[in-house]
Amino acid sequence: MTSFAPDSIVLNRKLPLWYQVSQSLRASILGRSPQDPLRLPTEEQLAGHYGVSVLTMRQALKELEDEGLISRHRRRGTFIEPHARRGSPVRLLGSVDAIVAQQSGMTTELLDHGSAPVPGELAEFFPDVREVSTYHRLRSDEKTGEPTNHARNYVRPELAARIDLDDLVRWPMTKVLRDAVGADISRITDTVEARLADPETSKLLQVPLLSPILHYTGVTYDAEGQPLDVAVIHYRGDRFSFTVTLDAT
């Protein structure tokens, strides 16, 4: 039986290895194609794929099993749960793969895209360009079809020229920039604040006007500290919570 093939990852030795592996595998699972196999490779094969010990791999798999993304059967192996839903709480521990996993696992509709002048509130991130490429997407729960968030990405035009729109329907922008475009992503800064739903957000997310929402701004930087992409996302306040864990080492 053919096994599911997860994406590769470059591990950061300053963060827990099991966490990075679980987030990478989680993103691969949630971003898989419908025709991909449900059976995962063995613990030993996965450990070799990620370059970690079997014990570390086992801890990473337990995290995904506790979340309900996989099921483990003695003598049969480990399988992806085909109808598993991404849980609302999100834990961020300083890895790009955590961001990718947080954005994965939903049905995505590309509402519109094009070029536009740099918005005034984002001018500090694009001081050397007059226009950016914009992408507006609506994400919905795969099982219920309920809208969960809508996102606008503002991307440097030289990167946008290499973006395939089909990839944006399947994958989060972070994954597209890193894996499809080949951008050298060094860090992402996140800002989350409470706001009230404006008319557009109220309509898209099917929530009452002026109801609480989570307003997220994520800025993606390259190795030289240049912003590559700014994501502005409105989340339904009743569907998401964010927990950020800081590594003291």
Side-chain angles (χ1 to χ4, degrees), residues 155-175:
V155 182
R156 296 185 66 88
E158 65 269 23
L159 293 177
R162 308 204 300 269
I163 291 177
D164 187 327
L165 295 181
D166 289 338
D167 287 342
L168 284 179
V169 175
R170 179 181 177 188
W171 293 331
M173 178 64 80
T174 306
K175 183 175 177 65

Side-chain angles (χ1 to χ4, degrees), residues 92-133:
L92 301 181
L93 196 60
S95 81
V96 171
D97 285 282
I99 301 294
V100 171
Q102 181 261 314
Q103 298 170 350
S104 300
M106 297 181 185
T107 300
T108 302
E109 177 186 358
L110 181 61
L111 299 178
D112 59 66
H113 66 93
S115 298
V118 177
E121 65 272 20
L122 303 182
E124 63 178 296
F125 302 115
F126 301 104
D128 58 332
V129 295
R130 299 182 62 181
E131 286 193 340
V132 288
S133 295

Side-chain angles (χ1 to χ4, degrees), residues 12-28:
N12 182 342
R13 297 293 166 176
K14 293 183 179 181
L15 298 173
L17 297 181
W18 69 265
Y19 174 81
Q20 296 178 72
V21 170
S22 70
Q23 291 302 301
S24 176
L25 184 53
R26 183 178 188 274
S28 295

Side-chain angles (χ1 to χ4, degrees), residues 2-223:
T2 303
S3 297
F4 177 74
D7 295 339
S8 299
I9 179 178
V10 177
L11 296 174
N12 182 342
R13 297 293 166 176
K14 293 183 179 181
L15 298 173
L17 297 181
W18 69 265
Y19 174 81
Q20 296 178 72
V21 170
S22 70
Q23 291 302 301
S24 176
L25 184 53
R26 183 178 188 274
S28 295
I29 289 172
L30 292 176
R32 74 190 188 282
S33 297
Q35 65 269 22
D36 286 341
L38 294 177
R39 185 190 183 100
L40 287 179
T42 65
E43 286 183 353
E44 291 77 12
Q45 290 170 333
L46 285 170
H49 174 77
Y50 286 110
V52 298
S53 69
V54 172
L55 185 61
T56 296
M57 194 67 239
R58 192 168 297 157
Q59 188 175 5
L61 289 173
K62 184 179 185 304
E63 178 83 356
L64 299 180
E65 185 180 24
D66 290 344
E67 189 178 344
L69 286 179
I70 63 173
S71 59
R72 312 183 73 188
H73 306 274
R74 187 176 180 84
R75 295 191 179 91
R76 289 181 53 214
T78 302
F79 296 84
I80 298 169
E81 288 293 327
H83 303 299
R85 296 176 60 187
R86 188 186 61 78
S88 294
V90 178
R91 278 196 300 168
L92 301 181
L93 196 60
S95 81
V96 171
D97 285 282
I99 301 294
V100 171
Q102 181 261 314
Q103 298 170 350
S104 300
M106 297 181 185
T107 300
T108 302
E109 177 186 358
L110 181 61
L111 299 178
D112 59 66
H113 66 93
S115 298
V118 177
E121 65 272 20
L122 303 182
E124 63 178 296
F125 302 115
F126 301 104
D128 58 332
V129 295
R130 299 182 62 181
E131 286 193 340
V132 288
S133 295
T134 64
Y135 304 88
H136 187 198
R137 290 172 294 167
L138 177 68
R139 299 189 183 102
S140 303
D141 186 281
E142 289 180 331
K143 186 174 182 180
T144 66
E146 180 184 55
T148 58
N149 67 83
H150 75 98
R152 278 191 171 85
N153 288 84
Y154 302 86
V155 182
R156 296 185 66 88
E158 65 269 23
L159 293 177
R162 308 204 300 269
I163 291 177
D164 187 327
L165 295 181
D166 289 338
D167 287 342
L168 284 179
V169 175
R170 179 181 177 188
W171 293 331
M173 178 64 80
T174 306
K175 183 175 177 65
V176 171
L177 289 176
R178 185 188 65 178
D179 298 346
V181 174
D184 184 11
I185 297 175
S186 64
R187 63 188 173 95
I188 299 174
T189 62
D190 300 319
T191 303
V192 182
E193 58 184 302
R195 290 199 179 178
L196 301 179
D198 57 26
E200 179 188 40
T201 297
S202 174
K203 180 179 180 180
L204 287 173
L205 300 187
Q206 299 177 14
V207 297
L209 184 65
L210 301 182
S211 61
I213 61 168
L214 294 179
H215 178 88
Y216 164 94
T217 304
V219 185
T220 301
Y221 295 87
D222 66 11

